[in-house]
Amino acid sequence: MEIDSAEYQLRCQLTGHEDDVRGICICDKVGFATSSRDRTIRFWSPDESNHRSFTTSKILLGHTSFVGPLAWVAPSEELPEGGLVSGGMDTLILVWNLSTGDKVQTLKGHKLQVTGIALDGSDVVSTSVDCTLRRWRKGQEVEVLEAHKAAIQAIIRLPSGELVTGSSDTTLKVWNGAACVHTFSGHTDTVRGLAAVPGLGVLSASHDGTIRLWELSGQVLLEMVGHTSIVYSVDAHASGLIVSGSEDRFAKIWKDGVCVQSLEHPGCVWDAKFLDNGDIVTACSDGVVRIWTVHQDKIADPLELESYAAQLSQYTLSRKRVGGLKLEELPGLEALQIPGTSDGQTKVVREGDNGVAYAWNMMEQKWDKIGEVVDGPNDGMSRPLLDGIQYDHVFDVDIGDGEPIRKLPCNRSDNPYDVADKWLLKENLPLSYREQIVEFILQNTGQKQFTPDPSFRDPYTGSSAYTPGQPSKPVAAKPTFKHVPKKGMLVFDAAQFDGILKKVSEFNNTLLSAPEQKHMVLTEADMSRLASIIHVLKDTSHYHSSKFSDDDVVMVLKLLKSWPLTMLFPVIDILRMMILHADGAAVLSKHVNKGNDVLMELIKKVTTSPPLPANLLTSVRALTNFFKNASYHDWLLKHRGEVLDAYSTCYLSSNKNVQLAYSTLILNYAVLLVEKKDEEGQSQVLSAALEIAEEESVEADAKFRALVAIGSLMLEGVVKRIAMDFDVANIAKAAKASKDAKIAEVGADIELITKQS
């Protein structure tokens, strides 16, 4: 049977992953591997009891965040059954031995998410959102290359030996060793996926919705258009077929540049790969791996095919809206058996996959069919009301100069110039604001390509679409956000001082009873000094005038350095509150900024594995409070990487207070890095905030603060494009659906930011 003349059908569905399946790696003829947001890698082998299916033969655990790219390592003496190389959002690259399921190497060096992995001989070459290409040899980093201007999203090795990378800067680059020898330009958005076509060139998949086939000279041989959203992946088969996976829920099969079949999925298709025999493996956001085949003996049985069709239908119904209502929530035809109460009363019922409107005919006592209810684009969006009228958009416009916020309504079908003129007249504002208002409407409704009708004359002035106005004060027309950007720093300023002193005294008595620890014991004079420190900290009304001596601070630092790990948390709590005291912070800074950095020593001490939750909680809160005092900002910036690495797993803590403290630390870093215009720092903090936002077990307040950090970095920082590549639109969508009002509101803020140009 010719592969390219047969239609693909479902072969089997493989379950096991608990979240989106992100990547697929074909491992010669022994099976394939998949990676997931659930932090695992699964290796699938042919199921001996069912010739159609595969079974999980290995589950690889080691990444602390979602896993993306995978690469197959052929069997060798060191890896008798072969191996895998994986990259994750945790910035790590792990090398796995498949015979044991153990990781044999951990490669650290990337500062942000690892997005691509290729094997070049025995070398591992990786790409990352940090814009670098790194080469690893025998577990050691031997080369760091930079050429792309934005995040690198994918890498492949060609049969001829060159490497090709694709980036958010919209280009592909060809590498010969350490030299970038070609740059291919043509895509209008991020290049997300790559594949080699032996004897022809390179395939690229892009956020612009297209797939391109390039000659190695840079000439475009084919452009494939058919997807209606981001294309995440592309792969080629020896038969000449190409497969692509997209946000639009379809894996599309292409022949000679033409789409010959579309395989629908109940979710985003993150990856799609060919098996040697021409079968296709797809990775879906519903957590299921699916295999599609043209081989008649491997097609799923009719019952499973019917079940999958029903699954797709249910998925479609659950998302379809008619008249602003979910189709699945509409009553069935049985609702027409109930008589109406007034002539002309309307009722919408579900008929198959459609909503149909009926009107009550009082005279004939029956429901007359009006017709099918059809919604316009983006029918899933709730339409806002203003003065009792529904609009596609209602924007808040800030005129400035102490004027109140004005509401600007418009519909997608409206002429923006007409809307602007009517609104300016209604609000009694100068018509010279017209161009700024029109630009605002175009930008925030996604009509960037709007072309004014040259015959348009507005009904108020008789003018054409553009009339130059006299100079006037600028109008700050911009959408208003409820929770972003965050300004100012958050602190943890509540403390149970009596409890702190009591706990220190209790620990001191424990030391007193242990002969080998008596040298650590506080004397009566020391305890008196500590009580005096607590007294000063309790008296907040005199913070402006009370003082600390150098001896006070030295004693606290001495305890932090000498006391056992299990006894540190009440002392760290004293440090946390001392930072909020102006004089205490000033005296402490002399010691922090010395060559022997007491703060970094403390951080390394309390994050030693396994860390104690009480030490994590108090130390993260203390670090968060350091942001309140500008004299510590340089220290916080200098040690950003070490601090974030040390506490990077706090969001996974079972202690909700630790989660909240960590997300507050991340939020404060976001505010500081936006203020300092530190792009690299913003990228690292964005990555950490996204990890928190994506983790289902994180408590609501912690998730909220992480989302505020994301929104603030996108709105006022320089990392919006990186956030978009991190699928922030899906994160915002999930947040908007939250039952927690604050999370839903900040989700809406982020969604609005993603729609701004």
Side-chain angles (χ1 to χ4, degrees):
M1 179 185 292
E2 286 291 323
I3 288 175
D4 59 9
S5 62
E7 186 169 286
Y8 279 87
Q9 295 190 63
L10 183 68
R11 171 175 166 176
C12 61
Q13 299 187 82
L14 308 178
T15 58
H17 282 299
E18 297 174 2
D19 210 333
D20 297 44
V21 187
R22 293 298 298 259
I24 301 165
C25 175
I26 308 301
C27 306
D28 289 344
K29 295 180 181 178
V30 297
F32 62 90
T34 54
S35 62
S36 170
R37 279 186 192 268
D38 66 10
R39 307 188 188 94
T40 70
I41 300 156
R42 287 178 176 258
F43 189 84
W44 305 85
S45 303
D47 188 341
E48 294 179 5
S49 63
N50 180 353
H51 75 285
R52 292 190 185 103
S53 193
F54 285 72
T55 184
T56 300
S57 56
K58 289 280 190 314
I59 301 176
L60 310 180
L61 303 167
H63 284 285
T64 60
S65 187
F66 79 70
V67 193
L70 299 170
W72 164 246
V73 184
S76 63
E77 194 175 325
E78 295 82 13
L79 303 171
E81 292 181 26
L84 285 170
V85 186
S86 61
M89 191 171 180
D90 56 11
T91 75
L92 301 179
I93 299 160
L94 303 181
V95 182
W96 304 87
N97 182 336
L98 271 182
S99 59
T100 63
D102 296 330
K103 59 180 178 183
V104 292
Q105 286 179 353
T106 300
L107 312 180
K108 295 182 180 180
H110 283 298
K111 295 174 183 175
L112 294 169
Q113 177 191 359
V114 179
T115 52
I117 293 170
L119 292 185
D120 189 11
S122 59
D123 290 355
V124 173
V125 186
S126 58
T127 60
S128 167
V129 174
D130 66 13
C131 305
T132 67
L133 186 79
R134 293 172 189 257
R135 182 178 292 271
W136 311 81
R137 188 169 295 150
K138 296 179 180 177
Q140 299 298 314
E141 182 181 283
V142 294
E143 197 170 52
V144 181
L145 305 176
E146 295 183 50
H148 284 290
K149 296 175 183 175
I152 307 177
Q153 297 290 351
I155 183 171
I156 56 166
R157 184 182 183 275
L158 301 178
S160 54
E162 294 102 333
L163 296 170
V164 183
T165 52
S167 166
S168 293
D169 65 12
T170 75
T171 70
L172 289 77
K173 290 185 183 292
V174 182
W175 302 79
N176 191 337
C180 175
V181 293
H182 291 295
T183 297
F184 301 167
S185 299
H187 281 297
T188 58
D189 207 334
T190 295
V191 178
R192 190 60 176 265
L194 297 170
V197 185
L200 271 181
V202 179
L203 283 166
S204 60
S206 171
H207 283 205
D208 63 17
T210 70
I211 300 142
R212 289 179 175 230
L213 174 60
W214 309 76
E215 270 190 335
L216 287 186
S217 64
Q219 181 183 345
V220 177
L221 297 174
L222 280 175
E223 182 173 19
M224 288 158 263
V225 179
H227 282 294
T228 58
S229 189
I230 292 169
V231 189
Y232 288 115
S233 63
V234 66
D235 195 31
H237 188 257
S239 64
L241 291 182
I242 290 166
V243 66
S244 55
S246 168
E247 177 81 22
D248 64 11
R249 301 192 299 107
F250 286 94
K252 289 187 179 287
I253 300 157
W254 310 79
K255 177 69 175 174
D256 299 327
V258 176
C259 178
V260 294
Q261 193 181 350
S262 296
L263 304 173
E264 188 177 3
H265 289 67
C268 164
V269 182
W270 286 111
D271 200 2
K273 292 280 196 300
F274 283 105
L275 293 171
D276 280 351
N277 69 350
D279 285 1
I280 294 169
V281 187
T282 57
C284 185
S285 62
D286 66 352
V288 179
V289 180
R290 294 178 176 85
I291 304 182
W292 309 80
T293 188
V294 293
H295 304 284
Q296 292 298 312
D297 62 328
K298 287 191 165 65
I299 294 172
D301 61 53
L303 202 61
E304 187 169 0
L305 292 175
E306 190 178 316
S307 170
Y308 184 60
Q311 187 181 341
L312 285 176
S313 177
Q314 181 57 39
Y315 180 90
T316 305
L317 286 176
S318 70
R319 279 151 181 79
K320 186 172 181 180
R321 287 177 177 265
V322 290
L325 301 170
K326 277 191 175 180
L327 182 64
E328 65 178 352
E329 294 174 358
L330 292 177
L333 286 169
E334 67 277 2
L336 299 179
Q337 295 172 11
I338 303 168
T341 56
S342 61
D343 194 45
Q345 176 191 347
T346 59
K347 184 176 284 190
V348 180
V349 298
R350 186 178 69 250
E351 291 185 22
D353 288 352
N354 299 306
V356 180
Y358 286 81
W360 180 247
N361 185 326
M362 185 67 84
M363 184 177 293
E364 298 184 23
Q365 289 290 294
K366 68 169 189 172
W367 290 99
D368 291 332
K369 187 171 183 176
I370 301 172
E372 188 177 319
V373 180
V374 180
D375 273 344
N378 300 321
D379 55 5
M381 298 170 64
S382 58
R383 301 179 74 224
L385 283 168
L386 182 64
D387 300 328
I389 302 171
Q390 265 195 337
Y391 294 93
D392 291 330
H393 305 280
V394 176
F395 297 113
D396 289 325
V397 181
D398 182 5
I399 300 299
D401 292 347
E403 292 281 333
I405 297 292
R406 316 287 182 101
K407 297 289 185 182
L408 168 60
C410 70
N411 292 311
R412 282 183 288 270
S413 58
D414 292 340
N415 184 303
Y417 287 93
D418 195 16
V419 172
D421 285 340
K422 287 178 181 177
W423 183 76
L424 290 169
L425 286 166
K426 176 178 175 287
E427 296 290 340
N428 196 27
L429 293 169
L431 286 176
S432 54
Y433 285 173
R434 177 193 287 131
E435 281 303 303
Q436 289 162 287
I437 296 298
V438 168
E439 179 60 32
F440 169 72
I441 293 170
L442 295 178
Q443 184 179 53
N444 289 284
T445 58
Q447 302 178 66
K448 298 175 194 172
Q449 307 306 319
F450 174 81
T451 304
D453 179 354
S455 65
F456 172 72
R457 295 291 182 272
D458 75 62
Y460 302 97
T461 66
S463 304
S464 59
Y466 174 66
T467 303
Q470 295 304 311
S472 64
K473 64 179 182 180
V475 51
K478 59 183 179 181
T480 56
F481 302 92
K482 195 167 184 70
H483 297 289
V484 299
K486 176 73 180 74
K487 300 293 185 184
M489 304 298 181
L490 295 176
V491 295
F492 292 96
D493 55 3
Q496 297 177 334
F497 288 110
D498 293 339
I500 291 170
L501 195 57
K502 183 179 177 183
K503 183 59 72 174
V504 171
S505 179
E506 179 188 311
F507 284 158
N508 199 50
N509 290 334
T510 302
L511 292 171
L512 197 58
S513 63
E516 71 280 5
Q517 294 181 319
K518 280 191 177 179
H519 64 286
M520 303 180 195
V521 173
L522 292 172
T523 65
E524 194 172 323
D526 291 334
M527 285 303 297
S528 177
R529 179 181 289 279
L530 207 57
S532 175
I533 291 170
I534 295 292
H535 176 75
V536 171
L537 293 173
K538 282 173 74 173
D539 188 9
T540 55
S541 61
H542 289 90
Y543 267 29
H544 63 287
S545 58
S546 53
K547 300 287 182 185
F548 283 104
S549 69
D550 197 56
D551 289 342
D552 293 334
V553 173
V554 167
M555 189 181 79
V556 172
L557 296 178
K558 182 181 176 184
L559 291 177
L560 291 173
K561 194 167 185 176
S562 62
W563 266 27
L565 206 54
T566 54
M567 299 181 179
L568 283 184
F569 63 89
V571 187
I572 300 172
D573 243 1
I574 295 172
L575 178 73
R576 168 175 70 90
M577 298 309 295
M578 193 175 274
I579 298 157
L580 298 180
H581 187 286
D583 189 62
V587 176
L588 178 65
S589 68
K590 300 174 190 174
H591 298 270
V592 170
N593 293 318
K594 282 182 178 177
N596 184 18
D597 193 331
V598 290
L599 276 186
M600 278 313 303
E601 277 186 29
L602 175 63
I603 290 167
K604 289 171 184 174
K605 191 173 181 178
V606 299
T607 55
T608 302
S609 187
L612 300 173
N615 284 345
L616 280 183
L617 177 61
T618 50
S619 62
V620 177
R621 283 177 170 177
L623 276 169
T624 301
N625 284 2
F626 273 99
F627 285 86
K628 190 69 175 175
N629 194 305
S631 64
Y632 290 96
H633 287 178
D634 285 345
W635 184 94
L636 289 162
L637 291 170
K638 177 183 175 184
H639 295 285
R640 180 198 72 241
E642 296 163 281
V643 169
L644 294 179
D645 285 347
Y647 292 102
S648 61
T649 58
C650 281
Y651 73 102
L652 298 172
S653 171
S654 58
N655 185 316
K656 304 300 183 186
N657 291 323
V658 171
Q659 292 179 9
L660 180 63
Y662 175 64
S663 66
T664 310
L665 175 72
I666 294 299
L667 179 52
N668 278 0
Y669 256 124
V671 173
L672 178 60
L673 290 159
V674 167
E675 179 188 315
K676 299 294 184 182
K677 296 180 171 57
D678 182 334
E679 182 172 359
E680 182 183 322
Q682 288 176 35
S683 299
Q684 186 176 6
V685 171
L686 174 70
S687 181
L690 288 165
E691 282 188 324
I692 303 169
E694 288 199 314
E695 176 56 46
E696 289 183 7
S697 64
V698 170
E699 63 95 32
D701 284 343
K703 184 160 289 191
F704 170 73
R705 291 185 181 183
L707 287 164
V708 172
I710 293 166
S712 299
L713 288 165
M714 290 176 66
L715 184 63
E716 295 213 328
V718 290
V719 292
K720 182 177 174 182
R721 179 180 279 275
I722 293 174
M724 299 295 282
D725 289 337
F726 269 132
D727 310 314
V728 76
N730 284 333
I731 292 172
K733 185 178 177 183
K736 269 186 73 178
S738 172
K739 293 177 182 176
D740 186 285
K742 287 192 305 182
I743 290 178
E745 288 166 357
V746 73
D749 282 350
I750 295 171
E751 185 177 79
L752 185 53
I753 296 168
T754 65
K755 292 176 180 177
Q756 290 182 301
S757 61

